[in-house]
Amino acid sequence: MARITFSGRRLLRAAQRFEEGLLDKVSDIIYETARLIQAQAKALAPVDDGSLSDSIEMKMLGKYNAVVSVGVHYAVNICRPCW
């Protein structure tokens, strides 16, 4: 049976590298998810002159926050779900 040993310093460095890589992946996933939401919203937006679709934007607010917004004032009336 193989025996693996780590010193405290080596283990700490390995854990820090793992954490940094993991947090980078989380940030990438948030970015890609927001882009998918933006693309889907644009695809589902009705097109008259294209201003509704053109106003749908995605913005990253830091590494772990993203916002997809609609800039035209009449979007609430068009995009309201039918309950």
Side-chain angles (χ1 to χ4, degrees):
M1 177 183 231
R3 191 170 163 177
I4 301 171
T5 58
F6 287 99
S7 69
R9 207 173 317 146
R10 286 180 57 198
L11 183 59
L12 180 60
R13 273 188 280 157
Q16 287 170 339
R17 281 194 306 272
F18 175 77
E19 179 185 12
E20 290 168 4
L22 183 64
L23 292 176
D24 288 342
K25 288 289 185 190
V26 168
S27 179
D28 292 344
I29 290 168
I30 291 169
Y31 177 82
E32 289 301 320
T33 302
R35 281 285 178 208
L36 287 172
I37 292 169
Q38 178 193 27
Q40 187 69 22
K42 285 183 175 231
L44 293 174
V47 178
D48 186 16
D49 63 359
S51 61
L52 175 60
S53 180
D54 291 343
S55 75
I56 299 172
E57 298 178 346
M58 189 281 290
K59 185 189 312 184
M60 290 295 292
L61 304 175
K63 269 186 109 172
Y64 308 111
N65 295 307
V67 173
V68 178
S69 60
V70 181
V72 294
H73 68 281
Y74 56 85
V76 172
N77 298 322
I78 293 174
C79 300
R80 183 177 297 151
C82 301
W83 288 321

